[in-house]
mmCIF file of all heavy atoms in Angstrom:
data_model
loop_
_atom_site.group_PDB
_atom_site.id
_atom_site.type_symbol
_atom_site.label_atom_id
_atom_site.label_comp_id
_atom_site.label_asym_id
_atom_site.label_seq_id
_atom_site.Cartn_x
_atom_site.Cartn_y
_atom_site.Cartn_z
ATOM 1 N N VAL A 867 -3.697 -1.799 -11.306
ATOM 2 C CA VAL A 867 -3.100 -3.068 -10.903
ATOM 3 C C VAL A 867 -1.916 -2.825 -9.968
ATOM 4 O O VAL A 867 -1.738 -3.530 -8.961
ATOM 5 C CB VAL A 867 -2.670 -3.883 -12.142
ATOM 6 C CG1 VAL A 867 -1.881 -5.121 -11.728
ATOM 7 C CG2 VAL A 867 -3.893 -4.293 -12.957
ATOM 8 N N LYS A 868 -1.113 -1.812 -10.267
ATOM 9 C CA LYS A 868 0.024 -1.489 -9.407
ATOM 10 C C LYS A 868 -0.445 -1.005 -8.040
ATOM 11 O O LYS A 868 0.160 -1.325 -7.013
ATOM 12 C CB LYS A 868 0.915 -0.453 -10.084
ATOM 13 C CG LYS A 868 1.677 -1.003 -11.282
ATOM 14 C CD LYS A 868 2.575 0.044 -11.921
ATOM 15 C CE LYS A 868 3.371 -0.563 -13.084
ATOM 16 N NZ LYS A 868 4.250 0.438 -13.741
ATOM 17 N N MET A 869 -1.523 -0.230 -8.025
ATOM 18 C CA MET A 869 -2.066 0.226 -6.743
ATOM 19 C C MET A 869 -2.564 -0.947 -5.928
ATOM 20 O O MET A 869 -2.371 -1.006 -4.702
ATOM 21 C CB MET A 869 -3.197 1.221 -6.997
ATOM 22 C CG MET A 869 -3.691 1.931 -5.735
ATOM 23 S SD MET A 869 -2.434 3.035 -5.043
ATOM 24 C CE MET A 869 -2.493 2.566 -3.309
ATOM 25 N N PHE A 870 -3.204 -1.913 -6.581
ATOM 26 C CA PHE A 870 -3.652 -3.110 -5.870
ATOM 27 C C PHE A 870 -2.456 -3.851 -5.268
ATOM 28 O O PHE A 870 -2.517 -4.323 -4.126
ATOM 29 C CB PHE A 870 -4.410 -4.039 -6.816
ATOM 30 C CG PHE A 870 -4.805 -5.343 -6.183
ATOM 31 C CD1 PHE A 870 -5.945 -5.433 -5.409
ATOM 32 C CD2 PHE A 870 -4.029 -6.484 -6.350
ATOM 33 C CE1 PHE A 870 -6.317 -6.631 -4.805
ATOM 34 C CE2 PHE A 870 -4.380 -7.676 -5.751
ATOM 35 C CZ PHE A 870 -5.528 -7.750 -4.979
ATOM 36 N N ALA A 871 -1.355 -3.946 -6.034
ATOM 37 C CA ALA A 871 -0.158 -4.624 -5.529
ATOM 38 C C ALA A 871 0.401 -3.895 -4.312
ATOM 39 O O ALA A 871 0.874 -4.527 -3.357
ATOM 40 C CB ALA A 871 0.891 -4.712 -6.636
ATOM 41 N N ILE A 872 0.350 -2.561 -4.319
ATOM 42 C CA ILE A 872 0.832 -1.784 -3.175
ATOM 43 C C ILE A 872 -0.022 -2.078 -1.944
ATOM 44 O O ILE A 872 0.497 -2.319 -0.846
ATOM 45 C CB ILE A 872 0.816 -0.279 -3.515
ATOM 46 C CG1 ILE A 872 1.909 0.046 -4.530
ATOM 47 C CG2 ILE A 872 1.010 0.562 -2.254
ATOM 48 C CD1 ILE A 872 1.861 1.472 -5.061
ATOM 49 N N VAL A 873 -1.339 -2.062 -2.124
ATOM 50 C CA VAL A 873 -2.238 -2.323 -0.996
ATOM 51 C C VAL A 873 -2.060 -3.746 -0.482
ATOM 52 O O VAL A 873 -2.007 -3.988 0.724
ATOM 53 C CB VAL A 873 -3.702 -2.083 -1.425
ATOM 54 C CG1 VAL A 873 -4.668 -2.512 -0.323
ATOM 55 C CG2 VAL A 873 -3.916 -0.607 -1.771
ATOM 56 N N LEU A 874 -1.921 -4.694 -1.414
ATOM 57 C CA LEU A 874 -1.792 -6.101 -1.033
ATOM 58 C C LEU A 874 -0.527 -6.357 -0.227
ATOM 59 O O LEU A 874 -0.512 -7.222 0.654
ATOM 60 C CB LEU A 874 -1.800 -6.973 -2.296
ATOM 61 C CG LEU A 874 -1.812 -8.485 -2.093
ATOM 62 C CD1 LEU A 874 -3.107 -8.921 -1.416
ATOM 63 C CD2 LEU A 874 -1.639 -9.207 -3.423
ATOM 64 N N THR A 875 0.546 -5.622 -0.507
ATOM 65 C CA THR A 875 1.831 -5.843 0.173
ATOM 66 C C THR A 875 2.044 -4.904 1.350
ATOM 67 O O THR A 875 3.142 -4.855 1.911
ATOM 68 C CB THR A 875 2.997 -5.683 -0.824
ATOM 69 O OG1 THR A 875 2.910 -4.393 -1.467
ATOM 70 C CG2 THR A 875 2.963 -6.760 -1.885
ATOM 71 N N SER A 876 1.001 -4.142 1.740
ATOM 72 C CA SER A 876 1.113 -3.299 2.933
ATOM 73 C C SER A 876 1.037 -4.182 4.174
ATOM 74 O O SER A 876 0.259 -5.136 4.228
ATOM 75 C CB SER A 876 0.006 -2.248 2.948
ATOM 76 O OG SER A 876 0.152 -1.345 1.873
ATOM 77 N N TRP A 877 1.855 -3.839 5.158
ATOM 78 C CA TRP A 877 1.958 -4.707 6.343
ATOM 79 C C TRP A 877 2.243 -3.834 7.569
ATOM 80 O O TRP A 877 2.927 -2.823 7.467
ATOM 81 C CB TRP A 877 3.099 -5.714 6.132
ATOM 82 C CG TRP A 877 3.256 -6.683 7.253
ATOM 83 C CD1 TRP A 877 2.641 -7.897 7.386
ATOM 84 C CD2 TRP A 877 4.063 -6.527 8.413
ATOM 85 N NE1 TRP A 877 3.023 -8.503 8.559
ATOM 86 C CE2 TRP A 877 3.900 -7.678 9.217
ATOM 87 C CE3 TRP A 877 4.904 -5.517 8.882
ATOM 88 C CZ2 TRP A 877 4.538 -7.841 10.445
ATOM 89 C CZ3 TRP A 877 5.553 -5.671 10.098
ATOM 90 C CH2 TRP A 877 5.372 -6.834 10.860
ATOM 91 N N PRO A 878 1.721 -4.204 8.768
ATOM 92 C CA PRO A 878 0.829 -5.326 9.044
ATOM 93 C C PRO A 878 -0.618 -4.960 8.742
ATOM 94 O O PRO A 878 -0.971 -3.781 8.772
ATOM 95 C CB PRO A 878 1.039 -5.540 10.544
ATOM 96 C CG PRO A 878 1.313 -4.170 11.066
ATOM 97 C CD PRO A 878 2.109 -3.481 9.989
ATOM 98 N N PRO A 879 -1.466 -5.934 8.449
ATOM 99 C CA PRO A 879 -2.865 -5.632 8.171
ATOM 100 C C PRO A 879 -3.568 -5.118 9.426
ATOM 101 O O PRO A 879 -3.394 -5.663 10.520
ATOM 102 C CB PRO A 879 -3.443 -6.980 7.722
ATOM 103 C CG PRO A 879 -2.524 -8.004 8.325
ATOM 104 C CD PRO A 879 -1.165 -7.372 8.356
ATOM 105 N N ALA A 880 -4.352 -4.068 9.263
ATOM 106 C CA ALA A 880 -5.025 -3.445 10.412
ATOM 107 C C ALA A 880 -6.299 -4.210 10.754
ATOM 108 O O ALA A 880 -7.419 -3.756 10.502
ATOM 109 C CB ALA A 880 -5.331 -1.989 10.095
ATOM 110 N N VAL A 881 -6.134 -5.388 11.329
ATOM 111 C CA VAL A 881 -7.272 -6.220 11.728
ATOM 112 C C VAL A 881 -7.032 -6.731 13.144
ATOM 113 O O VAL A 881 -5.896 -6.756 13.638
ATOM 114 C CB VAL A 881 -7.478 -7.412 10.762
ATOM 115 C CG1 VAL A 881 -7.822 -6.914 9.379
ATOM 116 C CG2 VAL A 881 -6.231 -8.299 10.704
ATOM 117 N N GLY A 882 -8.110 -7.137 13.806
ATOM 118 C CA GLY A 882 -8.003 -7.742 15.126
ATOM 119 C C GLY A 882 -7.286 -6.873 16.141
ATOM 120 O O GLY A 882 -7.525 -5.666 16.252
ATOM 121 N N SER A 883 -6.379 -7.489 16.884
ATOM 122 C CA SER A 883 -5.668 -6.788 17.952
ATOM 123 C C SER A 883 -4.757 -5.686 17.405
ATOM 124 O O SER A 883 -4.485 -4.703 18.096
ATOM 125 C CB SER A 883 -4.838 -7.790 18.764
ATOM 126 O OG SER A 883 -3.881 -8.441 17.935
ATOM 127 N N ILE A 884 -4.289 -5.844 16.165
ATOM 128 C CA ILE A 884 -3.442 -4.798 15.562
ATOM 129 C C ILE A 884 -4.258 -3.527 15.375
ATOM 130 O O ILE A 884 -3.800 -2.413 15.692
ATOM 131 C CB ILE A 884 -2.865 -5.282 14.221
ATOM 132 C CG1 ILE A 884 -1.931 -6.471 14.444
ATOM 133 C CG2 ILE A 884 -2.125 -4.152 13.516
ATOM 134 C CD1 ILE A 884 -1.391 -7.078 13.164
ATOM 135 N N ALA A 885 -5.480 -3.650 14.861
ATOM 136 C CA ALA A 885 -6.340 -2.477 14.690
ATOM 137 C C ALA A 885 -6.686 -1.852 16.036
ATOM 138 O O ALA A 885 -6.732 -0.616 16.163
ATOM 139 C CB ALA A 885 -7.608 -2.878 13.943
ATOM 140 N N LYS A 886 -6.929 -2.679 17.032
ATOM 141 C CA LYS A 886 -7.229 -2.167 18.374
ATOM 142 C C LYS A 886 -6.064 -1.347 18.908
ATOM 143 O O LYS A 886 -6.260 -0.248 19.445
ATOM 144 C CB LYS A 886 -7.543 -3.328 19.314
ATOM 145 C CG LYS A 886 -7.888 -2.893 20.732
ATOM 146 C CD LYS A 886 -8.204 -4.090 21.613
ATOM 147 C CE LYS A 886 -8.550 -3.648 23.030
ATOM 148 N NZ LYS A 886 -8.862 -4.810 23.896
ATOM 149 N N HIS A 887 -4.844 -1.871 18.734
ATOM 150 C CA HIS A 887 -3.657 -1.147 19.192
ATOM 151 C C HIS A 887 -3.491 0.169 18.432
ATOM 152 O O HIS A 887 -3.154 1.198 19.016
ATOM 153 C CB HIS A 887 -2.414 -2.017 19.005
ATOM 154 C CG HIS A 887 -1.137 -1.320 19.344
ATOM 155 N ND1 HIS A 887 -0.750 -1.049 20.642
ATOM 156 C CD2 HIS A 887 -0.163 -0.798 18.544
ATOM 157 C CE1 HIS A 887 0.400 -0.406 20.631
ATOM 158 N NE2 HIS A 887 0.781 -0.248 19.371
ATOM 159 N N MET A 888 -3.739 0.143 17.112
ATOM 160 C CA MET A 888 -3.614 1.367 16.323
ATOM 161 C C MET A 888 -4.605 2.427 16.785
ATOM 162 O O MET A 888 -4.277 3.615 16.868
ATOM 163 C CB MET A 888 -3.836 1.059 14.838
ATOM 164 C CG MET A 888 -2.709 0.294 14.170
ATOM 165 S SD MET A 888 -3.089 -0.064 12.420
ATOM 166 C CE MET A 888 -1.602 -0.943 11.910
ATOM 167 N N GLY A 889 -5.835 1.994 17.106
ATOM 168 C CA GLY A 889 -6.836 2.937 17.588
ATOM 169 C C GLY A 889 -6.457 3.534 18.930
ATOM 170 O O GLY A 889 -6.598 4.745 19.156
ATOM 171 N N GLN A 890 -5.973 2.689 19.851
ATOM 172 C CA GLN A 890 -5.542 3.184 21.160
ATOM 173 C C GLN A 890 -4.361 4.132 21.033
ATOM 174 O O GLN A 890 -4.305 5.175 21.701
ATOM 175 C CB GLN A 890 -5.181 2.000 22.059
ATOM 176 C CG GLN A 890 -6.373 1.135 22.451
ATOM 177 C CD GLN A 890 -5.963 -0.114 23.206
ATOM 178 O OE1 GLN A 890 -4.791 -0.543 23.177
ATOM 179 N NE2 GLN A 890 -6.924 -0.734 23.873
ATOM 180 N N GLU A 891 -3.421 3.784 20.165
ATOM 181 C CA GLU A 891 -2.246 4.628 19.972
ATOM 182 C C GLU A 891 -2.641 5.977 19.368
ATOM 183 O O GLU A 891 -2.063 7.010 19.718
ATOM 184 C CB GLU A 891 -1.241 3.913 19.066
ATOM 185 C CG GLU A 891 0.145 4.529 19.076
ATOM 186 C CD GLU A 891 1.161 3.668 18.338
ATOM 187 O OE1 GLU A 891 1.130 3.661 17.095
ATOM 188 O OE2 GLU A 891 1.972 3.000 19.011
ATOM 189 N N MET A 892 -3.632 5.985 18.500
ATOM 190 C CA MET A 892 -4.114 7.232 17.920
ATOM 191 C C MET A 892 -4.699 8.132 19.005
ATOM 192 O O MET A 892 -4.438 9.349 19.041
ATOM 193 C CB MET A 892 -5.150 6.950 16.840
ATOM 194 C CG MET A 892 -5.661 8.185 16.127
ATOM 195 S SD MET A 892 -6.857 7.792 14.819
ATOM 196 C CE MET A 892 -5.771 7.050 13.597
ATOM 197 N N ASP A 893 -5.476 7.554 19.917
ATOM 198 C CA ASP A 893 -6.043 8.331 21.023
ATOM 199 C C ASP A 893 -4.935 8.956 21.868
ATOM 200 O O ASP A 893 -4.978 10.147 22.197
ATOM 201 C CB ASP A 893 -6.910 7.442 21.916
ATOM 202 C CG ASP A 893 -8.190 6.998 21.227
ATOM 203 O OD1 ASP A 893 -8.623 7.689 20.284
ATOM 204 O OD2 ASP A 893 -8.757 5.961 21.633
ATOM 205 N N GLU A 894 -3.950 8.143 22.236
ATOM 206 C CA GLU A 894 -2.847 8.636 23.066
ATOM 207 C C GLU A 894 -2.051 9.723 22.339
ATOM 208 O O GLU A 894 -1.682 10.742 22.945
ATOM 209 C CB GLU A 894 -1.924 7.471 23.431
ATOM 210 C CG GLU A 894 -2.577 6.391 24.277
ATOM 211 C CD GLU A 894 -1.715 5.148 24.375
ATOM 212 O OE1 GLU A 894 -0.549 5.183 23.893
ATOM 213 O OE2 GLU A 894 -2.191 4.131 24.914
ATOM 214 N N ALA A 895 -1.798 9.495 21.061
ATOM 215 C CA ALA A 895 -0.981 10.448 20.300
ATOM 216 C C ALA A 895 -1.689 11.791 20.148
ATOM 217 O O ALA A 895 -1.049 12.851 20.245
ATOM 218 C CB ALA A 895 -0.644 9.863 18.931
ATOM 219 N N LEU A 896 -3.005 11.772 19.906
ATOM 220 C CA LEU A 896 -3.734 13.033 19.766
ATOM 221 C C LEU A 896 -3.655 13.854 21.044
ATOM 222 O O LEU A 896 -3.522 15.087 20.997
ATOM 223 C CB LEU A 896 -5.192 12.752 19.395
ATOM 224 C CG LEU A 896 -5.434 12.376 17.926
ATOM 225 C CD1 LEU A 896 -6.851 11.866 17.729
ATOM 226 C CD2 LEU A 896 -5.170 13.571 17.010
ATOM 227 N N GLU A 897 -3.718 13.186 22.196
ATOM 228 C CA GLU A 897 -3.580 13.896 23.469
ATOM 229 C C GLU A 897 -2.193 14.515 23.600
ATOM 230 O O GLU A 897 -2.043 15.676 23.996
ATOM 231 C CB GLU A 897 -3.844 12.940 24.631
ATOM 232 C CG GLU A 897 -5.286 12.493 24.759
ATOM 233 C CD GLU A 897 -5.498 11.583 25.951
ATOM 234 O OE1 GLU A 897 -4.551 11.452 26.771
ATOM 235 O OE2 GLU A 897 -6.592 11.000 26.078
ATOM 236 N N VAL A 898 -1.158 13.743 23.271
ATOM 237 C CA VAL A 898 0.221 14.235 23.375
ATOM 238 C C VAL A 898 0.454 15.385 22.400
ATOM 239 O O VAL A 898 1.045 16.426 22.762
ATOM 240 C CB VAL A 898 1.222 13.086 23.096
ATOM 241 C CG1 VAL A 898 2.648 13.625 22.991
ATOM 242 C CG2 VAL A 898 1.131 12.025 24.187
ATOM 243 N N PHE A 899 -0.002 15.233 21.174
ATOM 244 C CA PHE A 899 0.223 16.263 20.162
ATOM 245 C C PHE A 899 -0.503 17.554 20.523
ATOM 246 O O PHE A 899 0.035 18.651 20.325
ATOM 247 C CB PHE A 899 -0.227 15.753 18.788
ATOM 248 C CG PHE A 899 0.779 14.887 18.089
ATOM 249 C CD1 PHE A 899 1.460 13.900 18.774
ATOM 250 C CD2 PHE A 899 1.038 15.043 16.746
ATOM 251 C CE1 PHE A 899 2.389 13.083 18.140
ATOM 252 C CE2 PHE A 899 1.967 14.244 16.088
ATOM 253 C CZ PHE A 899 2.649 13.260 16.793
ATOM 254 N N GLU A 900 -1.729 17.421 21.054
ATOM 255 C CA GLU A 900 -2.472 18.622 21.436
ATOM 256 C C GLU A 900 -1.823 19.303 22.636
ATOM 257 O O GLU A 900 -1.709 20.532 22.684
ATOM 258 C CB GLU A 900 -3.925 18.252 21.746
ATOM 259 C CG GLU A 900 -4.810 19.460 21.977
ATOM 260 C CD GLU A 900 -6.283 19.099 22.060
ATOM 261 O OE1 GLU A 900 -6.601 17.884 22.024
ATOM 262 O OE2 GLU A 900 -7.105 20.019 22.170
ATOM 263 N N ARG A 901 -1.369 18.510 23.591
ATOM 264 C CA ARG A 901 -0.738 19.058 24.791
ATOM 265 C C ARG A 901 0.550 19.810 24.451
ATOM 266 O O ARG A 901 0.862 20.854 25.051
ATOM 267 C CB ARG A 901 -0.437 17.924 25.778
ATOM 268 C CG ARG A 901 0.163 18.406 27.092
ATOM 269 C CD ARG A 901 0.241 17.292 28.108
ATOM 270 N NE ARG A 901 1.158 16.238 27.725
ATOM 271 C CZ ARG A 901 0.789 14.992 27.432
ATOM 272 N NH1 ARG A 901 -0.489 14.654 27.468
ATOM 273 N NH2 ARG A 901 1.673 14.077 27.112
ATOM 274 N N ASN A 902 1.280 19.334 23.463
ATOM 275 C CA ASN A 902 2.545 19.977 23.079
ATOM 276 C C ASN A 902 2.365 21.081 22.034
ATOM 277 O O ASN A 902 3.360 21.713 21.641
ATOM 278 C CB ASN A 902 3.520 18.930 22.544
ATOM 279 C CG ASN A 902 4.105 18.060 23.642
ATOM 280 O OD1 ASN A 902 4.998 18.474 24.387
ATOM 281 N ND2 ASN A 902 3.593 16.841 23.769
ATOM 282 N N GLY A 903 1.154 21.301 21.575
ATOM 283 C CA GLY A 903 0.905 22.375 20.620
ATOM 284 C C GLY A 903 1.305 22.043 19.194
ATOM 285 O O GLY A 903 1.355 22.933 18.335
ATOM 286 N N TRP A 904 1.535 20.759 18.893
ATOM 287 C CA TRP A 904 2.002 20.382 17.555
ATOM 288 C C TRP A 904 0.876 20.405 16.523
ATOM 289 O O TRP A 904 1.149 20.563 15.335
ATOM 290 C CB TRP A 904 2.627 18.983 17.595
ATOM 291 C CG TRP A 904 3.858 18.917 18.449
ATOM 292 C CD1 TRP A 904 4.742 19.929 18.694
ATOM 293 C CD2 TRP A 904 4.345 17.780 19.165
ATOM 294 N NE1 TRP A 904 5.747 19.500 19.527
ATOM 295 C CE2 TRP A 904 5.544 18.182 19.831
ATOM 296 C CE3 TRP A 904 3.916 16.466 19.316
ATOM 297 C CZ2 TRP A 904 6.283 17.317 20.623
ATOM 298 C CZ3 TRP A 904 4.652 15.591 20.100
ATOM 299 C CH2 TRP A 904 5.823 16.015 20.747
#
């Protein structure tokens, strides 16, 4: 029940344009991290 409460109160929800932005940011970050050797 506590885990459900944690998930329910997580913000912002990864849906719609927010999920799209998260996916694009992940692509960009992987390129930067690989280029810098991190």
